[in-house]
Amino acid sequence: DGGITQSPKYLFRKEGQNVTLSCEQNLNHDAMYWYRQDPGQGLRLIYYSQIVNDFQKGDIAEGYSVSREKKESFPLTVTSAQKNPTAFYLCASSGTTSSYEQYFGPGTRLTVT
Amino acid sequence: AQSVSQHNHHVILSEAASLELGCNYSYGGTVNLFWYVQYPGQHLQLLLKYFSGDPLVKGIKGFEAEFIKSKFSFNLRKPSVQWSDTAEYFCAVNARGNAGKSTFGDGTTLTVKP
């Protein structure tokens, strides 16, 4: 059953700690994306990667880091430098030809206190 | 830079009413356009897309959208909504040659009363 998995579904951390969110896909897609979703603000792009070992900053990359060592995996680290980390995080993947329609994971809700 | 504007934040309709959700984008070049939907408790998923060809595109569950290039619009329509259409709807634009970097609108929450 192809798709995108994100774990965990809910994550709680203390302020000042880094935290890594997992994203795995078995759709054989080259491209992967991380979005942040806040109420009333839609999805904002954090980072994206078109190919293994390469990634680009999105619109709100400050305070976040990523790696793309494997085609299937695109973990996101929320660092202590991110001023407002509490949010819902969505991972997506797509092909790199045609229309780039994206397939989304179930999301991780991160709460930092 | 590309941007997307969705006109309504929250729409409430009764079953069998007609639906039109507005979406305008700003970008001067060639674009791909999408509507995604998030049903309660489910993943965000593609509803329909425009890539090329016929500007009237049909998606799942009886939805359609019309790309009007002169108006930079991609409005979503359904002639008769059902209670099961209750969801959040996002319009997105992806500029050709921009490596898949899509910009999303703020979303419209649709509530359909039975």
Side-chain angles (χ1 to χ4, degrees), chain B residues 31-106:
Chain B
V31 294
N32 300 318
L33 296 157
F34 309 86
W35 276 97
Y36 289 91
V37 60
Q38 189 166 31
Y39 297 104
Q42 295 188 27
H43 300 195
L44 197 63
Q45 61 184 285
L46 183 71
L47 191 59
L48 48 77
K49 66 179 180 181
Y50 172 79
F51 176 56
S52 64
D54 189 346
L56 183 63
V57 294
K58 295 190 185 299
I60 60 173
K61 302 188 179 185
F63 285 89
E64 65 178 32
E66 185 175 13
F67 171 46
I68 303 179
K69 190 174 180 180
S70 62
K71 295 184 177 181
F72 297 90
S73 71
F74 191 55
N75 292 354
L76 181 71
R77 300 194 293 249
K78 185 171 183 179
S80 176
V81 295
Q82 299 173 311
W83 176 79
S84 59
D85 294 324
T86 295
E88 190 160 17
Y89 294 81
F90 294 92
C91 181
V93 63
N94 161 247
R96 302 270 177 93
N98 202 13
K101 185 180 175 185
S102 292
T103 300
F104 285 75
D106 288 344

Side-chain angles (χ1 to χ4, degrees), chain A residues 86-98:
Chain A
T86 293
F88 187 59
Y89 292 89
L90 280 169
C91 180
S93 71
S94 77
T96 52
T97 58
S98 186

Side-chain angles (χ1 to χ4, degrees), chain A residues 6 17 22 27-28 48 50 70-71 81 85 89-90 95 109:
Chain A
Q6 292 185 244
Q17 294 178 333
S22 166
L27 299 169
N28 200 33
Y48 63 108
Q50 297 296 298
K70 298 187 299 182
K71 186 175 183 176
Y89 292 89
L90 280 169
R109 186 166 298 281

